[in-house]
Amino acid sequence: MTSAQIPDVVGLLCDLVALDTTNPAGNEAGAAGLLADVLRQGGFDVELDEVAPGRPNLIARAEFGSGGPTVMLNSHLDVVPAGPGWTSPPFEPTQRDGRLYGRGAADAKGSLAAMAVAALGLLEEAAGLSGTLVYTAVVDEEVGSTGARRLLTDHRPDAAIVGEPTGGRLFTAHKGSVRPVIEVTGVAAHAATPHNGVNAIVHAAQLVELITDYAGVLAGRSHPLVGAPTVTPVLVEGGEAPNAVPERCRLTLDRRLVPGETDRDALVEVEQILERFNAEHAPAQARISACAPSTGGPSETPADHPFVVACQLGLAGAGLSPELGGLVVNCDMTHFRAAGIPCLVVGPGELEVMHAVDESVALDDLRCGVRGYEAILRELLRHEGAWWR
Ligand SMILES: [Zn+2]
């Protein structure tokens, strides 16, 4: 493939955005097929691995000679629902004011497009490189991460770079979440005689105040890259009938975890609050009855890990900022770290536009993303390199 044949990153991103991969249901096959064609034409060995019907992971591999590391590029094909209120149709990519608008422009098709163009550029000018580059585009990151989980059952790279909008900065840490569902129980009675009952909704409201106090305690803690952990009530449902004192009220919390915290730590803290509540509010009682699904825990790669240092060197060599940061949301990095693989997150686009109406990416940032990925990969696959040894 000559550089004339390497696709323009803006055109490739437009083609990806035009393929609606809203999850649920995903329907990622079209976008995976498009990237498969582009990478195959550029000399990659391409495999589509069906995770669910019509939902394949794309795995594209290129060898740069023996002795080097295996580096994986990873991002996701699915997008969150567009919702109403868009200025231009979310799946008709539109350019205005130096930006490309459309669902997934930043999260994360911008990363997929920039990674693909950088990977093709590397294969075109491969002198001085060794090792293996594996480009992966997975399904279902936004809902259950079934794509990344499947990918990691039979791939074990020396390191991985996950593409998400970080404004082009290297993020070596991200938050996780756990979502306890709290069941508050009271005593049912006729609504005409509320004094004969114990109103579960009223007591749940008082519990919300204790959770607000807990949020204040969390705000006083801090992780250097992702900031403070948080907790906030996200769902409430209660009552049985319009003429009855409610016996039950269910309250779901979203608790964001920072690296160093576990699900268990956070749940124990909530249980301690409930113990106090139960002592003061008997016969009303509250307990954690379940946990609602979440993407998973927080993770971090140490800032002084040789892989991180090599990525910083690559960016600095290209005149880009090697400064480290952290992601306040979750992403598939958690699955790479759980498998013991050094990993960081970097990609074009700003965090603020993720999942928002009129999602967009600046075209300059997108092109800068290609340069950044290529610079990082050239450092990681440099023939004389040693970070993975
Ligand atoms: Zn994403």
Side-chain angles (χ1 to χ4, degrees), residues 75-76 78 106-108 141-142 163-165 329-331 354-355:
S75 193
H76 60 94
D78 60 320
D107 182 16
E141 188 271 348
E142 298 287 5
E164 293 282 356
V329 298
N330 210 329
C331 67
M354 287 174 91
H355 303 192

Side-chain angles (χ1 to χ4, degrees), residues 89-160:
F91 299 104
E92 290 175 23
T94 306
Q95 289 182 46
R96 57 177 187 269
D97 309 325
R99 303 183 71 88
L100 179 76
Y101 288 81
R103 174 55 88 221
D107 182 16
K109 289 173 175 171
S111 290
L112 283 176
M115 283 176 160
V117 172
L120 291 167
L122 222 64
L123 204 53
E124 193 191 46
E125 278 183 50
L129 303 180
S130 61
T132 303
L133 177 62
V134 186
Y135 175 103
T136 61
V138 298
V139 302
D140 193 39
E141 188 271 348
E142 298 287 5
V143 175
S145 283
T146 52
R149 288 178 214 268
R150 164 71 160 263
L151 179 72
L152 288 165
T153 58
D154 45 22
H155 289 83
R156 202 47 48 122
D158 293 299

Side-chain angles (χ1 to χ4, degrees), residues 159-245:
I161 296 167
V162 169
E164 293 282 356
T166 68
R169 286 173 64 197
L170 298 170
F171 282 8
T172 52
H174 67 87
K175 286 188 180 180
S177 58
V178 60
R179 303 197 174 107
V181 179
I182 299 170
E183 192 93 25
V184 180
T185 46
V187 177
H190 197 289
T193 54
H195 49 274
N196 287 338
V198 175
N199 190 317
I201 291 178
V202 169
H203 286 275
Q206 290 160 354
L207 178 59
V208 167
E209 285 178 26
L210 295 181
I211 298 301
T212 305
D213 293 344
Y214 176 42
V217 172
L218 295 181
R221 300 180 193 165
S222 191
H223 178 280
L225 294 177
V226 299
T230 58
V231 63
T232 195
V234 285
L235 285 172
V236 64
E237 49 185 319
E240 295 84 37
N243 58 354
V245 171

Side-chain angles (χ1 to χ4, degrees), residues 317-330:
L320 299 168
S321 168
E323 192 191 346
L324 300 182
L327 195 63
V328 297
V329 298
N330 210 329

